[in-house]
């Protein structure tokens, strides 16, 4: 499983990992994103704010994994059934929003891990297929068995929790210390609103927000965990990678399409 999980491999090596962000349904869109560049390592399937249903999530996870890109599902909230559905679909990891306390984080870990670490129920029929190692030109397909999934899942799936509230910021060191949490992922827009400094210009964030982001990163580093952050552009993602962050989105489907269409129509308009 670890061999197939590109995000986890980069996190383990301490290297930056760049991903795409899908809010709209459709596996053609999934394949387009995943095949757009060689360094797309993961795709975030957004069930919290995206227009993606449970069945669409299953299809997107499958399409992403088939492209060799790790599917990471952001559940709507940290409910056990939501986490179960995401992981049973074969997701290589989850992102759980609105984590305020260490107890919230411990619950996420408990719902995500098989016994004795947690209490996740075991059913791997859909999940195992998302960890197949298949090489081109007729080489052998290496399939994962259900028992191998059970034995490896606790150490092979990425558990990321989102730090985006004033309460989470106050408790960030305790959250970072929770065993089983791999990534503290920053939602800068919600965090900015929650601490009273909304982002009006992504290129010029309030100093208190910048300080809060650094505080979260420092807490993660002190606990031996990775830091992730939502970015709208590749330039932002590289900037955070240079600061030691490891999990950065580089483009969201809705943001990217709007930007590219606007550029095209502005160019077509010319001097008219």
């Amino acid at each position: 499983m670890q061999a197939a999980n590109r995000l986890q491999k980069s996190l383990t090596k301490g290297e930056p990992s760049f991903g795409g962000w899908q809010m709209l349904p459709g596996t053609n869109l999934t394949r387009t994103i995943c095949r757009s560049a060689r360094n797309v390592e993961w795709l975030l399937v957004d069930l919290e704010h995206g227009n993606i249903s449970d069945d669409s999530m299953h299809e997107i996870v499958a399409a992403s994994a088939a492209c060799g890109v790790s599917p990471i599902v952001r559940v709507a909230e940290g409910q056990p059934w939501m986490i179960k559905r995401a992981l049973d679909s074969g997701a290589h990891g989850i992102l759980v929003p609105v984590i305020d306390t260490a107890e919230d984080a411990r619950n996420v870990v408990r719902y995500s891990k098989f016994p004795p670490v947690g209490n996740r129920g075991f059913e791997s029929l859909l999940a195992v297929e998302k960890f197949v190692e298949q090489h081109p030109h007729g080489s052998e397909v290496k399939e994962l068995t259900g028992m191998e999934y059970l034995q490896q899942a606790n150490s092979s799936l990425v558990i990321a929790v989102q730090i985006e509230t004033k309460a989470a910021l106050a408790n960030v060191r305790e959250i970072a210390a929770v065993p089983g949490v791999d990534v503290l992922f920053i939602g800068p827009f919600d965090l900015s609103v929650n601490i009273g400094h909304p982002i009006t210009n992504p290129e010029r964030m309030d100093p208190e927000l910048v300080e809060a982001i650094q505080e979260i990163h420092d807490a993660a580093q002190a606990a031996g965990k990775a830091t992730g952050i939502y970015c709208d552009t590749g330039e932002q993602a590289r900037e955070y990678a240079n600061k030691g962050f490891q999990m950065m989105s580089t483009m969201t489907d809705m943001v990217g399409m709007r930007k590219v269409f606007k550029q095209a129509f502005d160019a077509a308009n010319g001097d008219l």
Side-chain angles (χ1 to χ4, degrees), residues 2-19 39-42 70 158 183 226 244-248:
Q2 291 177 339
N5 194 332
R6 294 180 65 185
L7 173 58
Q8 191 198 46
K9 284 196 291 187
S10 289
L11 296 180
T12 301
K13 293 177 183 177
E15 298 174 349
S17 185
F18 302 106
N39 63 330
V40 182
E41 291 197 339
W42 50 274
S70 288
V158 175
V183 183
F245 288 59
Q246 284 186 259
M247 182 182 177
M248 286 72 56

Side-chain angles (χ1 to χ4, degrees), residues 7 42-45 70-74 91-95 158 247:
L7 173 58
W42 50 274
L43 179 70
L44 193 291
V45 187
S70 288
I72 309 298
V73 174
R74 178 161 76 168
H92 291 191
I94 55 170
L95 175 60
V158 175
M247 182 182 177

